[in-house]
Amino acid sequence: METRKEKLLQQYDRKMRPKAKLEGNIRWYSPMDEPFQIAGFAWFAQERKYRRLPTLPPGAVPEAVEHLANHTAGGQIRFQTDSTSISIRVKLTGKADMAHMPATGQCGVDCYVDSPDTIIPRKYGNTTVYDHTQTEYECAFFSNWTATMRNVCLSLPLYQGVEEISIGLDENATLLAAPSYVSDKKVIVYGTSITQGGCASRPGMMYTNILSRRIPLEFLNLGFSGNGKGEPEVAEIIAQIDNPACLVVDYEGNCVSTELFRQTLPEFIKIYREAHPLTPILIVSRIPYAREQLTPHLNEMRMERMQFEKELVKERREQGDLNIYFFEGSKSLGDDDFFESTVDGSHPTDLGFLRMANALEPVLKTLVL
C-alpha cells in the first residue's frame, strides 16, 4: 500500500505516478507463442519456463542457486510490430523488497526499439513504473506512435521471478519475428550479484544487457547473487549449453577466501573444458571495492587473487589451451573516481555498468565475432 508521502509526491509531480493502463482495443499475446522470441534462457525451448537453469532435482545445486535461477536477469522478449502502442502485463513471484535497488530494476521491464534493419534494438523507449507493493502490474510502454514497423526488445526483471507475461498490441497490428542473430552461438556469463545486475536502476542497464545491444548474439546471464562460487555441479550444468560462443567467468567476488578460489577455479575450468575443448574462456578479475582504500589488506587480497588468475591462464596456455584468456577488471569502473560508479562501494550504478560494458566490449568482440 502506498504511504502518505508517496501519495503526496505523486500529487506534486505527475511524472512520479505509476504508469497508467492503456485504454482502448488491445490484443493480448503470450510471448511464449510464435513469432515472439524468448532469449536469455538456455533451457526455455525444452521447459517453457522463464528460468536460467534447467529444472533440477533437490540438491543438484546449492539451494540458493536453485532459487536465484528463477530470477529472470538477462531474459529478453524480441519481436517486430507496427503497433502504435505496446503494453505489458506481468505477474511476479514476489514483491519488490530490496533496500538499495529500485523496483524498476529488481522487478521492472524496459523497452528498446529500433528500425527493422537492425538486429538488436538500441534506442531506449520506456520502463514499467508500477505500484511496487504489488506482485502484478500492467503498464503501457508507449501509445499514439506512428504505425511504422519497429524492432522491439523487452528486458525482464533482474532480481525477481516471473510467472506470467502478456504483451498488448493494437488489435489490428502486424506482428513479425525479430531479425536473426548473426549465428546461433551464445555468450555465457557466469558470476556474482554484479553479473546478475545489482544494482541497476532498470534491466537494460545490467552490463550483459548493454553488451547484448552491441554484440548481435544471444547472451545468457548466469550471475547468482552471493552464490556464484564456482561449484563443480554448476560447471557441469553450464557445460550442457549447446553452441557457446564464449564463456566469461567472473565469480571471484563471491569466494570467501583465496584458498577456496584456488581450489574451485581450476576445477571449474577443467569441467567446462572437457565438454568444450575449443570454446574461448575469458577469466575476469573483479572490480575494486571502495573500502579497499581504507582497508589495504582487502586490496592485497584482490591483487593476490588476480595474480593467481593470471598464472592459471598462463599455465593452461603453456599446456596448449590457447583459447583461454585473462581480463583485468580493476579499471573497468574507471580510475581515480571508480567508487563514484557504485551504489554501496561495490555494486555498480548504471554508470558503473556502462563503464564495465565499455571495457569488455572490444575484448568480447575479438573472441566471438
Side-chain angles (χ1 to χ4, degrees):
M1 183 175 294
E2 293 175 331
T3 65
R4 181 173 179 273
K5 287 184 178 180
E6 287 172 329
K7 289 182 178 178
L8 283 174
L9 177 58
Q10 294 169 21
Q11 176 183 333
Y12 298 149
D13 188 343
R14 296 176 61 88
K15 293 181 180 178
M16 292 297 178
R17 298 178 182 177
K19 288 181 167 53
K21 299 179 182 179
L22 186 64
E23 302 296 334
N25 295 324
I26 299 176
R27 180 178 176 184
W28 291 95
Y29 297 83
S30 169
M32 290 192 174
D33 298 333
E34 294 182 349
F36 292 96
Q37 180 194 14
I38 304 294
F41 305 121
W43 290 271
F44 181 82
Q46 295 88 351
E47 300 195 352
R48 310 287 287 173
K49 292 182 179 180
Y50 303 115
R51 180 176 160 83
R52 295 183 294 153
L53 292 180
T55 302
L56 300 165
V61 296
E63 182 179 352
V65 174
E66 166 67 19
H67 172 75
L68 292 166
N70 290 310
H71 291 183
T72 54
Q76 298 177 344
I77 301 171
R78 306 175 68 236
F79 59 99
Q80 294 187 91
T81 185
D82 62 358
S83 182
T84 66
S85 67
I86 296 182
S87 297
I88 189 168
R89 287 176 177 164
V90 180
K91 183 178 181 181
L92 303 167
T93 58
K95 297 180 182 180
D97 57 4
M98 295 184 71
H100 63 332
M101 184 168 175
T104 46
Q106 182 187 1
C107 301
V109 178
D110 64 11
C111 172
Y112 281 77
V113 299
D114 219 322
S115 59
D117 59 353
T118 58
I119 297 177
I120 307 296
R122 297 187 63 176
K123 298 175 182 177
Y124 169 68
N126 212 334
T127 305
T128 54
V129 179
Y130 72 101
D131 180 353
H132 62 274
T133 66
Q134 304 300 307
T135 59
E136 298 183 40
Y137 60 83
E138 177 182 326
C139 292
F141 287 116
F142 59 80
S143 61
N144 299 317
W145 283 19
T146 57
T148 301
M149 189 61 68
R150 297 179 183 86
N151 186 8
V152 181
C153 181
L154 308 181
S155 306
L156 300 186
L158 302 178
Y159 265 78
Q160 192 56 270
V162 171
E163 292 185 9
E164 297 177 10
I165 304 175
S166 299
I167 308 297
L169 306 176
D170 296 350
E171 200 167 36
N172 298 315
T174 301
L175 177 61
L176 301 174
S180 299
Y181 293 114
V182 294
S183 81
D184 61 356
K185 289 185 174 295
K186 306 166 185 68
V187 180
I188 306 165
V189 187
Y190 173 69
T192 65
S193 55
I194 294 173
T195 305
Q196 188 175 333
C199 294
S201 67
R202 56 183 178 82
M205 291 310 297
M206 174 179 66
Y207 81 86
T208 62
N209 275 342
I210 296 173
L211 288 168
S212 78
R213 296 192 291 275
R214 301 176 179 182
I215 298 174
L217 293 171
E218 183 176 4
F219 275 69
L220 303 179
N221 183 297
L222 297 178
F224 299 108
S225 187
N227 289 276
K229 298 181 179 181
E231 300 94 341
E233 300 88 348
V234 176
E236 290 169 359
I237 293 168
I238 294 174
Q240 296 173 15
I241 300 172
D242 293 332
N243 298 320
C246 176
L247 172 65
V248 180
V249 180
D250 183 13
Y251 73 88
E252 174 195 334
N254 277 172
C255 281
V256 296
S257 69
T258 302
E259 183 57 33
L260 178 62
F261 192 50
R262 288 180 177 274
Q263 292 172 10
T264 59
L265 184 58
E267 181 65 13
F268 192 95
I269 295 170
K270 177 177 179 289
I271 291 170
Y272 191 81
R273 190 48 97 212
E274 287 175 352
H276 302 281
L278 298 178
T279 298
I281 298 176
L282 182 66
I283 307 298
V284 179
S285 66
R286 75 163 174 83
I287 60 174
Y289 300 154
R291 60 184 179 273
E292 292 177 19
Q293 300 176 104
L294 305 175
T295 48
H297 76 278
L298 293 178
N299 180 68
E300 293 171 4
M301 183 185 299
R302 181 169 59 84
M303 293 295 102
E304 181 182 34
R305 294 182 183 184
M306 182 170 65
Q307 184 61 34
F308 165 66
E309 290 167 306
K310 288 181 178 179
E311 291 173 354
L312 179 61
V313 169
K314 181 175 182 290
E315 178 183 333
R316 289 198 63 97
R317 292 183 67 86
E318 288 174 347
Q319 293 173 353
D321 185 354
L322 301 181
N323 289 314
I324 188 168
Y325 307 88
F326 171 77
F327 178 85
E328 183 176 341
S330 62
K331 300 295 184 181
S332 294
L333 292 184
D335 291 314
D336 294 339
D337 66 345
F338 73 91
F339 47 83
E340 303 290 13
S341 299
T342 71
V343 172
D344 53 6
S346 56
H347 294 93
T349 61
D350 292 356
L351 173 61
F353 281 125
L354 184 64
R355 288 179 172 180
M356 289 181 70
N358 288 344
L360 279 166
E361 179 184 0
V363 178
L364 277 181
K365 282 184 172 177
T366 299
L367 296 181
V368 304
L369 295 179

